Amino acid sequence: MSLLIFLDQADGHIKKSSLEALSYGSKVAELMNTSAEAVVLGNVTDDLAALGNYGVKKIHTIKNDSLNHLDAQVYTKLVAEVAKSVGATVIIFSNNFSGKAIAPRLSVRLKAGLVSGAVALPDLSNGFVVKKNVFSGKAFANVSINTDIKIIALNPNSYSITTTSNTAEVAEFGATVDTPKIQVTATDKPEGEIPLSEAELVVSGGRGLKGPQNWALVTDLAKALGAATACSRPVADEGWRPHHEHVGQTGLAIAPNLYIAIGISGAIQHLAGVNRSKVIVVINKDPEAPFFKAADYGIVGDAFEVVPKITEAVKKLKGL
Ligand SMILES: Cc1cc2nc3c(=O)[nH]c(=O)nc-3n(C[C@H](O)[C@H](O)[C@H](O)COP(=O)(O)OP(=O)(O)OC[C@H]3O[C@@H](n4cnc5c(N)ncnc54)[C@H](O)[C@@H]3O)c2cc1C
């Protein structure tokens, strides 16, 4: 019996959401009195042995150029092979793009119960009960997994990373890698931007900013804070900002430590993508804007007056 954690990598680096999954999985293994092992696919340049700091004992690697990009079917088959080989009874993913693609497929392949969107450690006092977000983060459900093999996909930014000072054993796992059915021929990445899905600080703009010509308001504050930028859906639909910045029910769901919403009304479809943020700051000239009900801090005022003052204050504080 063991516990297996899937590690997600991009450009050879382990993603922050996977470090959360590592800390979470290692704690679950401790509660189950078993050991935590992990699997990573593709060529990774990070020091994998150092990931022992997050509590994992052994890391299985399958190095192969064709695994540098996610192919859900190929990945699922390999993770299943590793899981069977180590006798994993619990498998942990981050509930990010890769986790959402692989975990359900793995669940079918291993006939394993899956809870996606987990937000807390499982309760093992009476079976195996996992707390998860439901209704776009408006409520929680406690779900009991009753299968022999259990899969949990942990919501990003819902479990704190903890470190110790251990070293993990790293071992190449011998497996036949199928030829992926899809091939990534080129990737086009926005240069120098902080990836929104991994960002701890996010500054977001809505239709209240009137047009793309005013976006320096958002980007200047984001730059001063070291934050990623986001926007509401109409802003992306109107082409003021790229679609990969659109957050909400039909866009990205994010959970940063700080979400600053400028000139966004706070429609439920928008809140569905941001209401797991740890702290929400709303800047809106309408005191009745629904977003204020979800805000930790609110400023009623004209964004064109308020935001430059905040940016200046941040720059002064940081000596920029
Ligand atoms: C099926 C469906 C799915 C959807 N999915 C999404 C989604 O994923 N994400 C999303 O964002 N929306 C989504 N929407 C749209 C959503 O319902 C809202 O229409 C949208 O979020 C509104 O965007 P907004 O707040 O930027 O614009 P508006 O509703 O126009 O609000 C602009 C806000 O700016 C404020 N404002 C104006 N001028 C200033 C100023 N000078 N200073 C400060 N504040 C100012 C106004 O008071 C107002 O509150 C969806 C809708 C549907 C039907």
Side-chain angles (χ1 to χ4, degrees), residues 205-210 231-235 246-252 262-271 273 283-286 289-290 301-304:
R207 211 152 40 178
L209 290 179
K210 320 286 185 224
C231 67
S232 65
R233 176 171 152 174
V235 164
H246 151 205
V247 290
Q249 185 185 314
T250 46
L252 262 188
I262 306 170
I264 303 176
S265 57
I268 46 167
Q269 296 90 353
H270 185 85
L271 288 176
I283 302 165
N284 198 304
K285 69 174 186 185
D286 175 8
D302 186 336
F304 294 90

Side-chain angles (χ1 to χ4, degrees), residues 10-313:
D11 301 327
H13 302 294
I14 303 297
K15 290 189 180 173
K16 179 184 162 255
S17 50
S18 283
L19 301 181
E20 292 163 7
L22 263 186
S23 292
Y24 177 89
S26 300
K27 186 68 192 173
V28 179
E30 195 184 309
L31 295 175
M32 293 170 60
N33 216 4
T34 186
S35 66
E37 303 190 26
V39 56
V40 60
L41 308 181
N43 298 312
V44 177
T45 48
D46 285 350
D47 177 8
L48 290 176
L51 296 181
N53 284 329
Y54 301 92
V56 66
K57 296 279 180 288
K58 184 169 181 180
I59 299 178
H60 304 270
T61 60
I62 304 178
K63 292 183 193 141
N64 188 305
D65 284 345
S66 71
L67 296 174
N68 288 342
H69 295 286
L70 170 71
D71 178 304
Q73 291 174 14
V74 175
Y75 267 48
T76 303
K77 185 165 172 268
L78 293 173
V79 175
E81 277 182 39
V82 177
K84 279 182 190 161
S85 151
V86 303
T89 52
V90 175
I91 306 166
I92 310 285
F93 288 86
S94 172
N95 196 32
N96 57 13
F97 284 123
S98 314
K100 284 175 185 168
I102 308 165
R105 287 177 166 87
L106 191 67
S107 157
V108 174
R109 193 176 267 264
L110 300 180
K111 297 187 171 39
L114 161 68
V115 170
S116 60
V119 292
L121 289 167
D123 178 0
L124 307 185
S125 61
N126 187 16
F128 196 100
V129 179
V130 186
K131 186 176 181 181
K132 66 168 281 182
N133 267 140
V134 287
F135 301 124
S136 301
K138 278 199 157 54
F140 297 106
N142 289 320
V143 183
S144 174
I145 313 183
N146 303 324
T147 46
D148 292 341
I149 301 176
K150 301 161 178 59
I151 302 177
I152 302 175
L154 175 73
N155 262 351
N157 216 10
S158 54
Y159 190 79
S160 302
I161 294 171
T162 47
T163 52
T164 55
S165 51
N166 291 317
T167 306
E169 177 191 346
V170 181
E172 177 71 12
F173 185 87
T176 308
V177 178
D178 294 343
T179 309
K181 294 198 176 58
I182 53 152
Q183 199 190 355
V184 179
T185 50
T187 47
D188 191 8
K189 277 197 192 164
E191 284 298 317
E193 285 183 22
I194 299 169
L196 185 53
S197 55
E198 299 272 315
E200 302 205 348
L201 311 175
V202 175
V203 181
S204 186
R207 211 152 40 178
L209 290 179
K210 320 286 185 224
Q213 70 280 7
N214 298 321
W215 229 259
L217 225 57
V218 172
T219 51
D220 285 353
L221 178 56
K223 200 170 163 203
L225 284 167
T229 50
C231 67
S232 65
R233 176 171 152 174
V235 164
D237 284 348
E238 293 192 30
W240 298 358
R241 296 299 291 174
H243 263 291
H244 65 78
E245 285 196 359
H246 151 205
V247 290
Q249 185 185 314
T250 46
L252 262 188
I254 55 171
N257 290 335
L258 174 67
Y259 183 75
I260 302 180
I262 306 170
I264 303 176
S265 57
I268 46 167
Q269 296 90 353
H270 185 85
L271 288 176
V274 302
N275 58 8
R276 288 192 294 107
S277 307
K278 296 254 162 45
V279 174
I280 296 178
V281 177
V282 170
I283 302 165
N284 198 304
K285 69 174 186 185
D286 175 8
E288 302 297 323
F291 220 150
F292 283 120
K293 291 202 178 84
D296 297 284
Y297 301 94
I299 300 175
V300 179
D302 186 336
F304 294 90
E305 289 171 19
V306 172
V307 178
K309 286 183 185 155
I310 298 176
T311 306
E312 273 318 302

